[in-house]
Amino acid sequence: MNAISKRGLLKAGGAMMVAFSIGLRPKGAAAWTEKPVAADEVAAFLSIDGQGGVTVYIGKVDMGTGIRTGFMQIAAEELDVPMARIRVVEGDTALTPDQGPTYGSLSIQNGGVALRAAAATARRELLNMAAERLGAPAAQLSVADGAVSGGGRSVSYAELVGGRAFTMKVDTNAPIKAPGARRIVGRSVARVDIPDKVFGRFEYVHDFKRPGMLHGRPVRPPAMGATAQSVDEASIRGIPGVVRVVHQGAFVGVVAETEWAAIRAARDLKVTWSNWAGLPDQARLWEHVRATPVAQVQVTSDRGNPAAAIQGAARRVSATYDFAIHTHGSMGPSCAVAEFGADGKLTTWSASQATHNLRKQLGMMLAMPVHNIRCVYLEGAGCYGRNGHEDAAADAALLARAVGRPVRVQWMRADEHVWDPKGPPHLVDLRAGLDAQGNIVGWEAEAFIPKGAGGNVDLTAAELGGLPRENQIHPGNIIHNLALPYTFPAIKTTCHRVDTTPFRPSWIRTPGRMQNTYANEAFLDECAAAANADPVEYRLRVMPQDDPRGREVLERVARLANWQTRPSPQQDRTGDILRGRGVTYVKYELVRTYVAAVAEVEVNRRTGAIRVARFFCTHDCGQMINPDGVKAQVEGNIIHTLSRTLKEELTFDRSTVTSRDWASYQVITFPEVPEMVIELIDRPTERPWGAGEPAAAIVPSAVTNAIFDATGVRLRSVPFTTAKMRAALQGS
């Protein structure tokens, strides 16, 4: 792979530092502050070594999304250097700028755009230096393969920057390549990480080792709020290699010389736990959500008098939609390594998507200044948001501090399913009024969702150990897309932000945007059915006239799917297998990426089995850096969200999670993946928007709308399981 080998970098020393100054080669050093990381410095993003190699330093991390390749394309394009000469360092608090967590489909939109500005600034300065060296005006120079030519002479970037320090501020107005001049950006480029992953050479965080490293395992309470009243260390005395049992409050962990010894010790250690049964009755979850005190009310759209409009409407429609609690379900369990140096400084290696934030959280938990903590990103196996990687890093840090040696912690499968933070329950009530022609005259939506936004999720070790933490909940910005991208005469959308939620919440791919879009687009389909209108035509009626890109994705997906104009449900419902199609649309957060979709489903009326046969999607995220990468993201969104829509649901009793493995928390399998037909709309003159999340937002509503079209039965509770479908058909 072309990206920098992090293992190679780190093997040189836990405190190794790459000094940035254009012209200086990376070097080992003891300090962690030699390289600028301020986001307004070119040096924070780029370096050019004496051989012309370019290193990109980026605060956003590649969690399997392919953005590493996209960053390389951006830098190669603006600097006019071959991609083979570019290396990427991601998410290292000592080396990369703090660009916030890698979430919200902002990696290219914000991180990539910032990198592009830095590269454009550097290119302009390099041209000015070359003009002086070559004695020719900068406007008459050309650049190719990292060398500037003009007046019959040329000089390389390496020769220009030499060994001199070169510092400058990023100029966000520095000229970038015009669309017609681009040779790399906008073209499909093979991902640099794939060959090593396919052939088993890729080094995940799980493969990382340090000299003298020990192995740790947390011993979690059997009930989520239980405390450890006593720990019988003698119970594991017979296991060779056990180094230490660590016990602080409800945090219990073991450290051993080998991983197997740590697993055995964690399994066999006898701990007396207190009783706890504070979870709600899952069968009455939605009553519990409604009864939870509301900490805050947020109105996300408010126009006209929808209550009066609905009351006076020719026809009134109402429905409630809910979306189950989900775990992240990362295929590779969370893993991290922590090491305290002889100087007392801490380094952690993990797949955290927010290393700069993790550093602050670890500093708080351990009462250490953050400048004595370094957090390094290494790719994990599966990450759809804030899962358990930060918690594994905290486990490892506590254990490493106790034993004075590097400690690697890898969670077991049950740790992952039970103790990762959860996508919280999401409940939406909807009401609408229709006039005699079926037009919507008033719309009201009320969501019942946890308070909080996209901040740090408390570390499990800090919570269990009674150590300092922020003690706030952060489920993500889950209020987005409750307001709609349509023009209704009167509308009010309200978020009731409840004070607590059953499990520690965090964001999972497309948090809130997906659940709110699901409720809105399914309910809009109900309105279309009540109006006896075609669902595509019904949406186009209320599409804003000044937003042609929204209209375009919807019209194009209809053509792509060979949409037959008619109301839903279909009238021919004979035979055991019922077939239908459903349409949906989203303008992500009402300000960026446009997506429309059509799902085709088959429902077995005898068994209730649901099969999504084909899924059509049109996608407009502005300028595409790597179209093949965008397509892969859209496909990943569809597959992942079909899994969440049809199968995934956390189960629990009054004490803890009971869906502790893949048998009890099922996900989609390869035979269940539908044929996907995707049409990307490239707009090279527009700014790039994100593609990592928006296509997930349209999946649940497309599926439930298609189910209704096939069966005449509306499912309003995710997941749409076979049992729910069968019960709904029997009750229809």
Side-chain angles (χ1 to χ4, degrees):
M1 61 187 289
N2 293 319
I4 192 171
S5 165
K6 289 196 172 181
R7 172 171 287 187
L9 179 69
L10 295 163
K11 274 182 174 176
M16 179 173 180
M17 173 63 197
V18 178
F20 177 84
S21 290
I22 290 182
L24 293 181
R25 299 190 62 188
K27 64 180 183 179
W32 293 346
T33 56
E34 292 183 4
K35 177 191 175 299
V37 293
D40 62 345
E41 299 279 349
V42 172
F45 294 94
L46 293 166
S47 72
I48 300 176
D49 64 27
Q51 286 71 49
V54 176
T55 301
V56 169
Y57 302 95
I58 194 82
K60 302 294 186 181
V61 300
D62 191 333
M63 301 180 292
T65 57
I67 58 169
R68 184 177 305 128
T69 305
F71 293 143
M72 294 171 69
Q73 288 180 260
I74 290 171
E77 184 69 75
E78 292 302 326
L79 291 172
D80 270 318
V81 297
M83 284 185 63
R85 282 194 213 158
I86 296 178
R87 305 175 299 171
V88 181
V89 176
E90 307 160 22
D92 183 332
T93 57
L95 302 176
T96 63
D98 183 357
Q99 297 179 290
T102 302
Y103 64 8
S105 282
L106 297 171
S107 294
I108 292 295
Q109 179 174 320
N110 289 355
V113 167
L115 170 63
R116 183 165 66 181
T121 304
R123 174 191 168 95
R124 184 178 63 186
E125 183 62 18
L126 289 163
L127 278 173
N128 290 334
M129 296 170 67
E132 186 175 342
R133 177 79 68 92
L134 300 176
Q140 296 179 9
L141 301 178
S142 61
V143 185
D145 293 340
V148 186
S149 301
R153 302 164 60 197
S154 69
V155 61
S156 69
Y157 285 167
E159 292 172 312
L160 285 172
V161 296
R164 293 178 295 158
F166 180 47
T167 59
M168 61 188 307
K169 296 289 185 183
V170 174
D171 180 0
T172 56
N173 295 315
I176 62 173
K177 287 272 191 75
R182 294 171 190 153
R183 298 177 297 105
I184 303 171
V185 163
R187 300 186 180 188
S188 290
V189 172
R191 280 174 49 172
V192 298
D193 56 320
I194 295 300
D196 281 350
K197 289 179 176 175
V198 169
F199 293 106
R201 299 189 300 258
F202 193 86
E203 294 175 341
Y204 293 92
V205 64
H206 309 79
D207 304 311
F208 182 72
K209 296 178 177 61
R210 294 291 299 159
M213 186 178 77
L214 301 172
H215 295 267
R217 284 289 189 281
V219 181
R220 301 299 194 205
M224 304 200 76
T227 59
Q229 296 174 326
S230 66
V231 177
D232 180 8
E233 297 189 23
S235 61
I236 57 172
R237 196 161 290 157
I239 299 175
V242 173
V243 174
R244 179 83 178 266
V245 175
V246 179
H247 172 204
Q248 179 161 357
F251 178 85
V252 179
V254 297
V255 184
E257 294 285 351
T258 67
E259 186 168 16
W260 177 233
I263 292 171
R264 290 182 62 199
R267 183 190 62 193
D268 295 346
L269 182 69
K270 292 183 179 177
V271 182
T272 302
W273 299 97
S274 64
N275 295 321
W276 186 85
L279 291 173
D281 179 359
Q282 183 168 15
R284 303 179 63 83
L285 174 63
W286 303 112
E287 290 93 325
H288 171 82
V289 170
R290 288 189 187 279
T292 303
V294 174
Q296 182 186 15
V297 175
Q298 290 176 281
V299 177
T300 58
S301 66
D302 191 3
R303 181 172 61 249
N305 188 340
I310 294 170
Q311 184 62 34
R315 182 165 185 177
R316 293 188 290 273
V317 184
S318 64
T320 294
Y321 286 80
D322 64 62
F323 198 100
I325 303 172
H326 282 171
T327 188
H328 289 78
S330 300
M331 291 297 167
S334 296
C335 181
V337 175
E339 178 178 6
F340 283 84
D343 55 2
K345 293 181 178 179
L346 168 65
T347 302
T348 68
W349 295 266
S350 74
S352 166
Q353 64 180 121
T355 49
H356 285 273
N357 288 359
L358 174 61
R359 180 170 69 156
K360 298 167 189 171
Q361 290 187 282
L362 290 173
M364 179 181 290
M365 183 183 79
L366 299 169
M368 290 179 62
V370 293
H371 63 261
N372 283 341
I373 300 172
R374 178 181 183 179
C375 296
V376 182
Y377 174 78
L378 294 177
E379 193 168 328
C383 183
Y384 313 109
R386 200 307 200 172
N387 60 0
H389 285 295
E390 285 83 355
D391 300 304
D395 293 340
L398 277 184
L399 297 177
R401 186 171 67 172
V403 298
R405 289 172 61 183
V407 173
R408 174 185 182 274
V409 168
Q410 179 176 307
W411 283 7
M412 305 298 281
R413 174 51 52 193
D415 296 329
E416 192 72 36
H417 280 234
V418 176
W419 289 94
D420 79 322
K422 306 292 186 273
H426 201 109
L427 182 69
V428 184
D429 292 333
L430 294 127
R431 298 176 291 277
L434 279 58
D435 65 15
Q437 289 73 45
N439 298 307
I440 294 172
V441 296
W443 178 288
E444 289 182 324
E446 295 183 84
F448 297 84
I449 51 181
K451 66 181 181 182
N456 295 326
V457 176
D458 280 344
L459 301 170
T460 297
E463 185 173 355
L464 293 177
L467 297 168
R469 56 192 173 96
E470 296 178 22
N471 200 25
Q472 297 182 9
I473 61 174
H474 291 291
N477 291 315
I478 56 177
I479 65 171
H480 285 299
N481 284 108
L482 189 64
L484 288 95
Y486 301 115
T487 54
F488 301 145
I491 182 172
K492 186 172 185 178
T493 55
T494 305
C495 297
H496 303 279
R497 311 301 302 275
V498 296
D499 196 46
T500 62
T501 190
F503 298 91
R504 185 177 54 135
S506 79
W507 54 92
I508 300 181
R509 199 174 203 167
T510 324
R513 293 84 160 167
M514 176 176 60
Q515 290 87 342
N516 293 326
T517 300
Y518 147 61
N520 283 334
E521 286 290 313
F523 187 62
L524 186 60
D525 214 65
E526 295 200 47
C527 294
N532 198 35
D534 174 77
V536 172
E537 184 275 333
Y538 199 70
R539 284 167 171 78
L540 291 174
R541 280 191 210 176
V542 289
M543 189 72 75
Q545 294 299 316
D546 60 352
D547 201 354
R549 292 170 72 170
R551 178 175 294 271
E552 181 175 347
V553 293
L554 193 54
E555 291 175 337
R556 287 177 70 157
V557 83
R559 290 195 295 271
L560 189 68
N562 192 27
W563 182 267
Q564 303 299 307
T565 301
R566 60 169 173 77
S568 287
Q570 67 163 324
Q571 297 305 305
D572 180 13
R573 296 202 288 273
T574 58
D576 286 346
I577 304 300
L578 305 178
R579 294 179 174 83
R581 83 284 197 264
V583 67
T584 189
Y585 161 76
V586 70
K587 181 180 181 181
Y588 204 59
E589 299 175 353
L590 305 186
V591 295
R592 49 188 178 133
T593 303
Y594 297 82
V595 192
V598 170
E600 292 182 352
V601 305
E602 298 174 352
V603 179
N604 187 314
R605 67 191 315 162
R606 294 184 181 277
T607 67
I610 300 167
R611 173 176 175 263
V612 178
R614 293 200 294 177
F615 203 96
F616 301 86
C617 181
T618 49
H619 191 277
D620 174 3
C621 61
Q623 177 197 145
M624 290 187 286
I625 305 302
N626 185 349
D628 193 53
V630 173
K631 183 181 179 185
Q633 282 298 287
V634 174
E635 291 173 341
N637 271 295
I638 293 169
I639 296 169
H640 183 204
T641 313
L642 280 175
S643 179
R644 300 180 68 183
T645 300
L646 296 174
K647 295 201 161 191
E648 296 186 35
E649 182 175 22
L650 191 85
T651 61
F652 53 92
D653 58 24
R654 304 304 293 266
S655 295
T656 191
V657 173
T658 55
S659 50
R660 305 167 69 90
D661 51 35
W662 294 120
S664 53
Y665 190 91
Q666 295 192 10
V667 297
I668 197 169
T669 59
F670 281 113
E672 297 169 296
V673 173
E675 176 187 354
M676 291 176 280
V677 183
I678 296 164
E679 188 170 277
L680 304 178
I681 303 172
D682 189 20
R683 301 189 186 278
T685 60
E686 300 286 345
R687 66 171 299 166
W689 287 328
E693 291 186 344
I698 45 81
V699 174
S701 49
V703 173
T704 190
N705 292 345
I707 291 171
F708 173 75
D709 186 61
T711 66
V713 172
R714 180 71 63 178
L715 294 186
R716 302 187 181 95
S717 179
V718 169
F720 306 141
T721 62
T722 297
K724 287 181 182 176
M725 187 73 254
R726 185 169 59 247
L729 287 169
Q730 290 171 350
S732 64

